[in-house]
Amino acid sequence: MHVGKSTSLYLPQLFFLFLFICNFLLLSLVYAQTDDPLLNSEDSSVAIPDSELVVVAPVTSLIAEDYKYDDGKQINLSWVPSIDDQLVGSKVLGYRLFRIIDDGKPELLAKLRCGANSYSDGKLKSESVYSYYLEAFSKNFIATSTRTVPISPEREWINFDRKYLFLLAFIIGGAVIFFIESARRGKKLFVRKIAGLEAVDEAIGRATEMGRPILFIPGILDMNDVQTLAGITILGRVSQQIANYDTKIRMPVSRSLVMTAARETIKAAYQTAGRPDQYSDDMVNYVTDEQFGYVAAVDGIMVREKPATVFLMGAFFAESLILAETGNSVGAIQIAGTARPAQLPFFIAACDFTLIGEELFAASAYLSGEPKQLGSLKGQDVGKGIAMAAILIGVLAETIGTAWNVEFMNDVVRWLTILFTTQ
Amino acid sequence: MEHVALWIAAFLTLGIYSFLYKDNIWYKLCESIFVGISAGYWFVVLFWDNIYGKFWVGVFPPKAYNDAGELVNSAEPDYLLIVGAVLGVMMISRLIPKIGWVSRWPLAFIVGSTSGLYLINYFTSNMMRQVEATIIPLFGMNYELSAYDIIGNLVIVIGTFTGLVYFFFSKEHKGWFGRTAKIGIWTIMITFGASFGYTVMSRMSLLIGRIDFLFGDWLGLIK
Amino acid sequence: MRREIPLIITGVVGVVFLLQYFIPHWPFDEMSGWFSDWFSIVQAFAIWLGALNLLKISAQKVIGKKSDWGFAVVIIVSFLIIVIVGLTGGEGYRETGTGFSWLYKYVYSSLSATMFSILAFFVASASYRAFRARNFEATLLLVSAFFVMLGRVPVGDNISFFLPDEYQLSQIANWIMTWPQTAGQRAIMIGIALGLVSTSLRIILGIERSYLGGGD
Amino acid sequence: MSTRAKEILVIGIVLLFSIIIYLGKVFGWVEVIRFSPLVSMILIGILFLALLYILVLTLKGHLIERRAVFLFVAISVALPFFMTISQSARISPEVQQLYDNVSELPKGSKVLVSFDFDPPSAPELQPMAESFLHYCLLNDLKVIIMGLWPQGPQQANLAMDRVLKKEDIIAKKLRDGKDYVNLGFQAGNEFVIKGMGADFSSMFKSDYSGNSYHDIEIVKNVKNFSDIDFAFNLSAGYPGTQEWVQIAVDRYGLSMGAGNTAVQAPMMYTYVNAGQLKGLLGGIKGAAEFENIVDYIGKGTKYMLSQSFAHMIVIAFIIIGNVAYFKNERGKKKKH
């Protein structure tokens, strides 16, 4: 196409463009009528003969603003709707929003319903300059607003919408680190008593009395899982008692690394108790990595040796049921602990004591006294404290605020909502 | 071929079920096939979808003719992907014990990225959003709620609060705090009961699915 | 050095993902994009590692003629069959009608679906022999399970036909699921979320190093 | 006869029967077996009597053997397949919510369906997939399929094959790439979702059959989640609905519903309550309810009777076990 060679060439093109636009508008009106009942508000518009021109006022105060706190991708638009845009008997049928990029041709960006007064345009480029205008249209009239001043979206450094989220995360994270540090410095951190742990001694006593072995299953995951680690920590406590009372222990495991760790733990306990000669490597043996193969083997051990007490501490999957059932059928006292929510119900229903979820970690932290674990537990308690306080205050304030319309309470709720909002 | 396929599938299905009678050779055979096939399955899928589809195609985009009829890359080659592949190959080094330590680099990368993402994700979606969703007016905005909803709201608020109290380890469960924790553990027990029921439902569905296969697809006794 | 570099990698990558949430500006957005890409590739290799490791262990079993080495041969052979079929199949290797999709549909699907359906039997057996209302908590659990199990199948409403519509078993199950169940889940969810936050923080800051394993 | 010989004999008999029935199927000797309502009722009565017998045995202190329980379960779950008993399912609020959200979508809306499960969960999730896809295609919604589990897209194809064979769908003359597309699997778990938040095409270079992303009509103009009108996630674990909610919903504002295995569905109620999920199908019951609401006869409805039986059996066993337990406990106390 040869642009601007002579003015005579322009006329037919302009004519075609004009036809095209008319056609397009017509089509979009038809489209709006078939597809969008809201734009086609025949019921709400005043009955006017088709021939009469329905003059409407354009929208005013159209403002384009860069959306803050993003990487230069969004512009927010706001305007005051046309005064002819009314709830009942509106003359305005809707709006069309046009965008001009870098002084190019206007392009239709969106069709909006009556009453719309804002729009956000995403996926922009920070290098380009954008300006917008709105058309308010009636049955046969279009009122165009003034164009906005061209702007380009800017890239910002910090998303201040998320400042409170950052603050809360900072407080909780800070608490974790603070408590880890203070535990390292030797400060004693309090952890409440955990019912399942108290049952441990009793259960070991029972096995000693009956002269039958104790079975310890540390789950089926490897040493890199926190639940296995917690299980081994609890094994430490169990093996101290065993070494003192000289009770037998059997520990089939499904990972070779767990086997090594468990042997070390039990050996250490026997050494502390002053009878290292009583320890033997046979107490812990590796069976297989295969889930069901392992279960079949453990089942066999349970049926043959009839342990008096069974510990199930660690990460369990589908096998939880089978193990707990067999343990139950041989009449053992069972103490279980896992953090896997799907398996917990089965343990609670089939075992005598269960460490539920975080209790397992709390027990482990309590027993090991490791600063890392204790500090985290304390830090998490700070988080829970914040959550509890927010729920208590928030619900009370919101209930009172809405019931008696107390302004102060509403302020509290507003403030809490801002604090906890994630958007 | 269809007949052979159905019989193979049935043979394998029954083989696994034979474990219910006791551990036996048939079960072990099927289990070994399962282990081999599933490892191989992942191997193939990851080769085509990731190592070929993402890395190879990303670095060496397929050629295509453009509008001018020239043979060009259909997309810009992304050479940064090579870093990912190098890390991936380092991962494999674990198979050779002598240089196994190299595999810690990609492992550190995986652990680091999941930690960074998890921290934010869980904090926003599973803590902040949940706390926000629990702050509700018990009677609705204009007393519009029915008794059913008000009781429900109360249950949610009290249940969540007391449940948190139960998992609070810095205070002994005594006095009012202990009683609150008690309500918490009751709520959690009801929750576990629901999970129990749903898990049973899930397991039974799987069995029903297999029985449908055996009697329907294989033997053709049911429609 | 063998420990420091991994710790630095973990720290940097973790911090980038953290900051990206708060700082929308270049380069964090782009960097997290690259990291996501790399993650997909590294993960593919990581799963390969598992497969290759299995092959290695099985081969060792066969060579050493350890017990059950015959099954190790089965593992290797079935692995090789699906790999060869899959890799020679070209890009459209899993379209309907290919050898790979045949293996998937009749062998892989049958085996994996059956493997998990065994649990149904164990659930029933455990219900009979192990699930006891041994204390108040367990009783509460079983009662709630009772209502949910009955209410989630049509037979529940058939049994409770004599009750008014809104007290029939399915409605009770709905009530339990919508209110107390949600409350309990939410408490557990918040607890787990905080646990993950503190663990992730420890990992990013290098306080938690157990994932690197022992030794130097 | 030794135990081994007996076992082999039983296997032989079962095998023989299977072959005869199979040949019957192939040559059309055996028709589909259906019990009349009367026979069904009699069978239910027999099952009930068997349970009573077990109760009596247990009360007397004879726990029946594990294998007997297994056999009982197998029989009582298989029998309902042959019965003719109709059941009605009531629609749960979260299923209704999903339906409302999907049915409000205007024609031509783009629906992203992520298949994040593998064959073991297929009995629960496949029916949901079929009825959901069928509903979308029938109502002129454009379906974009993907998977975070490698087996997912294959399950999608299995579902799609069945749906496309339905007469009402054939009549629509739908085309791959225009009305629906399967983008395939991508490894990277939640990082894939994150990547998609910025740019779909960076994660999916091509679709399942190897067509370049930018040549596919339906996704040509889909840059990221803001071009998706609704998403539906079929999930059996990790990565799944939780990851979608955390990233796509909470970070990028995607509007989303989910279908979950019953194991993880309870947790999702929290997200439904907080408005993060717009509707939920939980387990086979959710599937059956959705089939009911969109009027699609599928496996969910078919399995419901067996499911009812299975639940009843489990409940019966729990009751029997506990009755015996309390009787024994009281006995023990008296002795003391």
Side-chain angles (χ1 to χ4, degrees):
Chain A
M1 203 173 75
H2 308 280
V3 183
K5 240 188 176 177
S6 74
T7 36
S8 58
L9 260 176
Y10 269 106
L11 282 171
Q13 283 165 5
L14 273 177
F15 179 69
F16 273 112
L17 190 73
F18 175 72
L19 273 185
F20 179 77
I21 291 176
C22 288
N23 198 8
F24 180 75
L25 289 180
L26 215 69
L27 269 177
S28 60
L29 270 177
V30 170
Y31 182 70
Q33 274 179 354
T34 50
D35 229 350
D36 202 331
L38 269 176
L39 280 184
N40 170 30
S41 46
E42 267 176 30
D43 46 355
S44 64
S45 66
V46 190
I48 299 162
D50 280 357
S51 55
E52 196 180 317
L53 202 63
V54 186
V55 183
V56 290
V59 304
T60 47
S61 323
L62 174 63
I63 299 167
E65 266 180 324
D66 172 33
Y67 171 66
K68 274 188 174 172
Y69 319 140
D70 70 341
D71 196 23
K73 281 175 183 149
Q74 191 177 333
I75 288 178
N76 288 343
L77 295 160
S78 65
W79 60 88
V80 177
S82 159
I83 45 165
D84 297 308
D85 177 357
Q86 281 141 2
L87 265 178
V88 183
S90 173
K91 284 197 233 166
V92 176
L93 296 182
Y95 302 99
R96 279 189 288 268
L97 177 62
F98 288 85
R99 176 173 70 182
I100 301 147
I101 307 174
D102 297 336
D103 301 323
K105 274 187 200 158
E107 55 180 18
L108 181 68
L109 189 62
K111 283 184 292 182
L112 303 165
R113 290 151 202 240
C114 285
N117 61 359
S118 65
Y119 185 83
S120 53
D121 187 16
K123 289 181 283 175
L124 304 176
K125 290 192 188 105
S126 57
E127 305 88 53
S128 302
V129 182
Y130 300 87
S131 84
Y132 300 83
Y133 66 91
L134 264 170
E135 287 180 355
F137 62 90
S138 69
K139 252 183 182 166
N140 47 15
F141 185 81
I142 294 170
T144 310
S145 73
T146 48
R147 283 191 193 182
T148 61
V149 182
I151 65 163
S152 56
E154 276 172 38
R155 304 179 123 180
E156 271 89 7
W157 271 102
I158 292 177
N159 185 342
F160 279 103
D161 275 351
R162 291 172 173 164
K163 58 179 180 285
Y164 293 112
L165 198 140
F166 181 78
L167 185 76
L168 277 178
F170 190 79
I171 291 173
I172 294 170
V176 170
I177 294 162
F178 169 79
F179 282 115
I180 291 178
E181 271 311 307
S182 46
R184 271 197 187 144
R185 296 224 182 85
K187 192 165 182 289
K188 267 238 172 270
L189 296 178
F190 173 79
V191 173
R192 78 162 160 87
K193 272 201 297 248
I194 291 152
L197 266 188
E198 287 167 5
V200 167
D201 296 346
E202 200 184 308
I204 296 171
R206 180 171 178 259
T208 318
E209 265 175 41
M210 295 170 79
R212 287 202 273 170
I214 286 170
L215 192 69
F216 197 104
I217 314 289
I220 61 160
L221 286 188
D222 216 331
M223 282 310 286
N224 58 2
D225 190 86
V226 268
Q227 299 176 63
T228 317
L229 285 172
I232 295 293
T233 311
I234 290 166
L235 172 72
R237 159 75 167 257
V238 171
S239 48
Q240 275 167 18
Q241 299 280 355
I242 290 167
N244 286 334
Y245 295 136
D246 201 17
T247 321
K248 267 192 287 179
I249 186 170
R250 284 284 275 126
M251 189 168 170
V253 298
S254 74
R255 305 280 162 161
S256 46
L257 275 181
V258 178
M259 177 182 73
T260 325
R263 280 183 179 164
E264 291 302 319
T265 310
I266 300 178
K267 200 175 190 173
Y270 272 86
Q271 263 157 0
T272 326
R275 41 175 99 167
D277 49 311
Q278 299 286 320
Y279 167 80
S280 96
D281 271 353
D282 296 340
M283 290 172 174
V284 187
N285 67 313
Y286 165 80
V287 182
T288 167
D289 271 34
E290 250 17 275
Q291 188 183 12
F292 285 102
Y294 176 67
V295 171
V298 175
D299 258 12
I301 293 173
M302 282 188 187
V303 173
R304 274 195 309 277
E305 306 192 5
K306 298 216 180 331
T309 304
V310 176
F311 290 96
L312 302 155
M313 299 275 178
F316 289 88
F317 293 80
E319 68 284 351
S320 67
L321 269 187
I322 310 172
L323 294 175
E325 185 208 329
T326 318
N328 208 295
S329 68
V330 299
I333 280 203
Q334 304 198 83
I335 300 179
T338 187
R340 293 189 49 83
Q343 307 306 330
L344 272 167
F346 299 118
F347 276 158
I348 294 166
C351 298
D352 299 270
F353 292 98
T354 310
L355 297 178
I356 300 165
E358 289 182 289
E359 281 186 319
L360 176 68
F361 303 128
S364 156
Y366 174 76
L367 288 178
S368 69
E370 212 184 325
K372 216 163 62 179
Q373 294 189 29
L374 273 174
S376 299
L377 198 69
K378 282 288 188 185
Q380 289 167 42
D381 269 359
V382 171
K384 275 172 217 158
I386 293 175
M388 289 192 289
I391 291 173
L392 200 66
I393 297 171
V395 171
L396 280 180
E398 181 139 28
T399 306
I400 296 171
T402 50
W404 291 282
N405 210 2
V406 184
E407 199 44 45
F408 170 70
M409 291 294 176
N410 288 337
D411 285 344
V412 171
V413 174
R414 219 165 291 136
W415 183 77
L416 272 176
T417 321
I418 293 171
L419 198 61
F420 278 89
T421 192
T422 51
Q423 291 303 315
Chain B
M1 203 58 190
E2 178 76 13
H3 298 302
V4 180
L6 281 176
W7 275 91
I8 288 177
F11 172 83
L12 297 171
T13 305
L14 293 175
I16 300 282
Y17 280 145
S18 73
F19 178 77
L20 292 172
Y21 183 70
K22 68 173 187 218
D23 206 357
N24 61 60
I25 296 183
W26 193 6
Y27 169 74
K28 283 208 177 113
L29 176 74
C30 295
E31 195 199 18
S32 307
I33 296 176
F34 177 47
V35 172
I37 288 276
S38 53
Y41 178 84
W42 283 87
F43 193 90
V44 173
V45 169
L46 289 169
F47 174 80
W48 285 114
D49 283 340
N50 286 53
I51 294 167
Y52 177 81
K54 194 169 180 81
F55 165 69
W56 192 259
V57 172
V59 178
F60 307 99
K63 304 271 182 196
Y65 289 99
N66 66 0
D67 298 339
E70 296 156 344
L71 197 62
V72 291
N73 286 335
S74 58
E76 277 298 304
D78 183 0
Y79 294 113
L80 274 169
L81 290 173
I82 293 173
V83 181
V86 170
L87 282 172
V89 172
M90 286 164 88
M91 196 84 191
I92 301 282
S93 76
R94 175 169 284 206
L95 286 174
I96 307 155
K98 248 187 202 160
I99 54 162
W101 60 272
V102 180
S103 73
R104 281 185 190 160
W105 291 27
L107 189 68
F109 174 78
I110 285 190
V111 172
S113 12
T114 37
S115 309
L117 197 65
Y118 273 6
L119 206 161
I120 293 294
N121 284 352
Y122 278 84
F123 190 65
T124 53
S125 301
N126 289 15
M127 179 179 160
M128 303 278 275
R129 271 297 288 261
Q130 302 308 326
V131 172
E132 193 195 357
T134 318
I135 300 178
I136 40 175
L138 291 173
F139 309 113
M141 292 311 279
N142 298 308
Y143 300 102
E144 82 276 17
L145 292 185
S146 62
Y148 175 84
D149 287 321
I150 292 173
I151 293 172
N153 278 347
L154 264 173
V155 167
I156 283 230
V157 170
I158 293 175
T160 310
F161 182 79
T162 53
L164 284 172
V165 167
Y166 182 80
F167 288 120
F168 193 79
F169 293 101
S170 299
K171 194 165 161 51
E172 202 70 71
H173 282 178
K174 275 185 197 149
W176 68 271
F177 197 77
R179 282 192 289 277
T180 317
K182 214 57 225 184
I183 300 175
I185 193 68
W186 293 343
T187 316
I188 289 168
M189 285 301 148
I190 295 177
T191 306
F192 282 147
S195 308
F196 182 104
Y198 263 64
T199 308
V200 170
M201 174 154 110
S202 199
R203 304 290 186 234
M204 287 297 169
S205 311
L206 304 190
L207 173 63
I208 293 168
R210 286 328 283 166
I211 288 185
D212 185 28
F213 164 76
L214 285 177
F215 287 106
D217 298 334
W218 182 43
L219 295 178
L221 291 177
I222 46 180
K223 199 166 62 165
Chain C
M1 274 313 269
R2 287 182 181 184
R3 277 191 94 84
E4 280 77 32
I5 292 179
L7 284 178
I8 293 169
I9 294 178
T10 307
V12 168
V13 175
V15 166
V16 165
F17 272 108
L18 277 186
L19 288 183
Q20 184 264 333
Y21 189 73
F22 297 104
I23 303 180
H25 201 279
W26 191 90
F28 297 101
D29 207 17
E30 280 74 4
M31 275 171 89
S32 77
W34 303 337
F35 289 165
S36 300
D37 280 348
W38 298 352
F39 190 91
S40 304
I41 297 171
V42 176
Q43 223 212 2
F45 280 97
I47 295 172
W48 267 28
L49 179 70
L52 293 172
N53 206 28
L54 175 81
L55 221 55
K56 186 180 153 192
I57 291 171
S58 306
Q60 280 169 352
K61 254 192 193 166
V62 176
I63 292 165
K65 291 255 155 70
K66 291 193 184 138
S67 66
D68 282 355
W69 66 272
F71 293 115
V73 175
V74 176
I75 292 179
I76 296 173
V77 169
S78 44
F79 177 86
L80 289 179
I81 288 177
I82 193 164
V83 167
I84 291 168
V85 168
L87 292 187
T88 52
E91 252 178 288
Y93 67 105
R94 56 185 163 189
E95 305 253 323
T96 338
T98 57
F100 189 81
S101 82
W102 190 90
L103 280 173
Y104 176 78
K105 192 173 170 192
Y106 292 105
V107 180
Y108 180 76
S109 296
S110 306
L111 280 169
S112 52
T114 314
M115 207 69 188
F116 285 88
S117 72
I118 299 190
L119 292 167
F121 293 103
F122 291 119
V123 165
S125 160
S127 309
Y128 176 56
R129 294 146 67 98
F131 299 148
R132 299 282 180 266
R134 60 190 83 238
N135 49 38
F136 183 69
E137 276 88 32
T139 313
L140 208 55
L141 188 152
L142 288 177
V143 168
S144 144
F146 173 84
F147 282 116
V148 169
M149 270 193 277
L150 269 186
R152 292 272 88 177
V153 283
V155 77
D157 281 353
N158 298 349
I159 294 175
S160 57
F161 65 92
F162 52 88
L163 290 171
D165 212 34
E166 58 270 28
Y167 293 99
Q168 291 200 347
L169 278 167
S170 67
Q171 301 298 78
I172 295 176
N174 275 341
W175 189 84
I176 291 178
M177 292 312 289
T178 323
W179 306 110
Q181 198 275 142
T182 305
Q185 288 286 358
R186 191 168 274 165
I188 296 170
M189 200 181 238
I190 294 175
I192 292 178
L194 285 167
L196 262 158
V197 167
S198 81
T199 315
S200 302
L201 194 72
R202 263 156 45 194
I203 288 175
I204 293 171
L205 295 180
I207 300 171
E208 180 68 65
R209 302 172 182 194
S210 55
Y211 65 92
L212 289 175
D216 57 346
Chain D
M1 212 160 38
S2 70
T3 333
R4 176 50 54 92
K6 268 188 206 159
E7 285 168 20
I8 291 173
L9 189 71
V10 170
I11 291 174
I13 293 172
V14 170
L15 190 68
L16 196 69
F17 263 103
S18 306
I19 292 175
I20 292 172
I21 298 173
Y22 192 82
L23 289 176
K25 178 186 99 172
V26 175
F27 295 108
W29 306 333
V30 192
E31 288 293 302
V32 170
I33 298 175
R34 282 322 258 161
F35 299 150
S36 68
L38 180 70
V39 179
S40 309
M41 283 303 161
I42 292 172
L43 284 172
I44 292 174
I46 293 174
L47 285 180
F48 185 72
L49 285 179
L51 279 174
L52 271 185
Y53 178 66
I54 294 174
L55 174 67
V56 172
L57 272 187
T58 316
L59 282 179
K60 279 188 183 159
H62 304 286
L63 273 187
I64 59 164
E65 212 198 336
R66 214 188 215 179
R67 289 169 205 167
V69 176
F70 293 162
L71 192 66
F72 190 79
V73 170
I75 291 173
S76 47
V77 170
L79 278 181
F81 273 109
F82 302 98
M83 294 181 179
T84 36
I85 295 175
S86 65
Q87 292 178 300
S88 60
R90 202 191 293 250
I91 310 296
S92 313
E94 61 280 358
V95 176
Q96 185 68 44
Q97 194 190 351
L98 178 75
Y99 176 76
D100 291 345
N101 272 292
V102 180
S103 61
E104 274 165 16
L105 293 173
K107 286 191 163 120
S109 299
K110 293 197 168 96
V111 177
L112 179 75
V113 186
S114 182
F115 280 68
D116 306 334
F117 65 97
D118 55 357
S121 314
E124 288 179 274
L125 299 178
Q126 203 71 6
M128 295 180 194
E130 278 176 27
S131 52
F132 188 84
L133 289 178
H134 182 260
Y135 182 81
C136 288
L137 294 178
L138 195 63
N139 290 281
D140 299 310
L141 302 175
K142 309 280 176 198
V143 178
I144 303 165
I145 291 168
M146 58 164 286
L148 296 179
W149 289 32
Q151 301 92 337
Q154 257 154 310
Q155 295 300 130
N157 277 2
L158 295 179
M160 217 49 174
D161 286 347
R162 285 179 73 97
V163 170
L164 290 176
K165 278 184 195 134
K166 300 275 170 201
E167 270 165 28
D168 44 358
I169 299 293
I170 294 176
K172 292 222 145 222
K173 296 201 175 64
L174 301 177
R175 276 202 298 117
D176 188 359
K178 182 170 166 286
D179 301 292
Y180 57 90
V181 69
N182 187 345
L183 293 177
F185 158 73
Q186 187 57 246
N189 302 338
E190 56 269 59
F191 288 89
V192 176
I193 311 175
K194 187 153 186 312
M196 288 168 77
D199 187 359
F200 273 31
S201 59
S202 76
M203 285 294 135
F204 296 95
K205 303 269 184 234
S206 61
D207 76 351
Y208 192 83
S209 3
N211 301 316
S212 170
Y213 185 91
H214 298 284
D215 297 338
I216 305 165
E217 202 180 324
I218 174 172
V219 288
K220 217 186 278 172
N221 295 321
V222 176
K223 169 112 170 84
N224 54 32
F225 290 129
S226 42
D227 303 310
I228 298 290
D229 298 293
F230 192 76
F232 184 64
N233 174 236
L234 290 154
S235 150
Y238 167 86
T241 306
Q242 173 156 311
E243 284 67 34
W244 278 99
V245 167
Q246 286 176 345
I247 300 170
V249 174
D250 283 352
R251 284 198 186 192
Y252 297 104
L254 183 68
S255 169
M256 177 159 166
N260 275 231
T261 56
V263 173
Q264 62 164 353
M267 190 181 144
M268 299 306 154
Y269 277 81
T270 327
Y271 290 136
V272 176
N273 177 276
Q276 288 153 297
L277 278 181
K278 311 241 176 310
L280 172 71
L281 309 182
I284 193 81
K285 178 71 186 332
E289 286 175 15
F290 195 74
E291 282 175 4
N292 199 345
I293 207 170
V294 301
D295 217 10
Y296 177 90
I297 306 299
K299 296 236 163 166
T301 318
K302 182 181 170 189
Y303 289 174
M304 236 27 230
L305 191 63
S306 287
Q307 194 77 38
S308 286
F309 271 64
H311 285 208
M312 294 298 281
I313 298 284
V314 168
I315 289 169
F317 276 137
I318 291 180
I319 292 174
I320 293 173
N322 277 288
V323 168
Y325 172 74
F326 281 109
K327 189 175 164 263
N328 290 348
E329 286 287 288
R330 219 190 295 149
K332 269 185 204 162
K333 271 178 199 154
K334 268 180 197 161
K335 273 178 207 161
H336 277 292

